[in-house]
Amino acid sequence: MKLIKSSSHMGECDMSVDVSFSPIQVKQLLFKKVLIEPRKPADDDEGLWAPQFDFEGVEIKTDIMTAYDENEDDPTHFMVCVRIQIANEKKDGAKLAPYTIDVEGQAFIHLLAPFPAEMRESIVSVNGSTVVVGAIRELVSQLTSRSLYGPMVLPTLRFQSGEHKA
């Protein structure tokens, strides 16, 4: 496949972007669990509209697992699994979101570039998780678009390896 240089001329902002294959290629992405339902009606639901919802104070749980074939001498094939949950349980003053969410996505990833072996799992965990969460965000948006509180877009999450947290 030949990649072509992309450019955009939008208003006064000219931008040119070089496009190439990422060294991290997603070979397959699937969903292992999908649970999305409107939260139980409450007195404070009047005017609740997901597109305008502020996630500040909502408890969002994320679980990330990365694995590779330990029999591979120089592993370049990985699996990343990400689970995002919004349980909507009224505890410790947690704010309720418009929808209860429990979605688990899994991606199979191939590293094309020769990264040092000790960095590979970290690179795949951070970048692979970002790809999986993007897919989960899109799924949630699509499935809630015709639901009670309107389409909900999950907030953008930032993934960092343990040694690079700010």
Side-chain angles (χ1 to χ4, degrees):
M1 175 192 289
K2 183 179 179 185
L3 295 174
I4 300 170
K5 189 172 186 172
S6 173
S7 63
S8 173
H9 303 288
M10 303 172 76
E12 294 182 21
C13 178
D14 288 339
M15 178 176 61
S16 179
V17 178
D18 287 325
V19 179
S20 62
F21 286 114
S22 170
I24 299 169
Q25 290 295 309
V26 177
K27 295 300 184 182
Q28 183 180 19
L29 196 146
L30 53 93
F31 297 103
K32 293 177 65 177
K33 179 177 187 173
V34 177
L35 171 76
I36 302 171
E37 59 186 9
R39 77 178 191 195
K40 302 271 189 276
D43 294 336
D44 61 348
D45 282 356
E46 189 161 327
L48 181 61
W49 187 237
Q52 298 169 345
F53 183 74
D54 178 6
F55 280 91
E56 186 68 37
V58 173
E59 184 178 322
I60 301 174
K61 183 179 178 189
T62 58
D63 294 312
I64 300 168
M65 194 242 339
T66 305
Y68 60 92
D69 185 353
E70 293 179 1
N71 295 322
E72 201 177 346
D73 291 335
D74 191 23
T76 58
H77 293 85
F78 292 81
M79 188 267 310
V80 177
C81 191
V82 179
R83 183 176 181 190
I84 294 183
Q85 294 175 287
I86 300 176
N88 272 342
E89 295 172 350
K90 199 70 165 167
K91 61 178 184 178
D92 300 329
K95 182 177 170 183
L96 298 181
Y99 299 96
T100 297
I101 307 286
D102 191 353
V103 179
E104 186 173 347
Q106 179 175 309
F108 296 92
I109 295 173
H110 180 214
L111 292 179
L112 300 178
F115 294 104
E118 65 276 2
M119 292 178 60
R120 292 178 189 168
E121 190 168 357
S122 176
I123 289 168
V124 169
S125 291
V126 170
N127 293 286
S129 295
T130 301
V131 170
V132 174
V133 168
I136 290 173
R137 182 180 299 105
E138 183 63 24
L139 178 74
V140 169
S141 178
Q142 287 177 355
L143 293 178
T144 59
S145 67
R146 292 184 180 258
S147 295
L148 183 62
Y149 299 114
M152 184 171 83
V153 177
L154 293 173
T156 304
L157 303 177
R158 181 178 177 193
F159 295 94
Q160 294 178 282
S161 62
E163 63 270 9
H164 295 107
K165 287 186 179 175

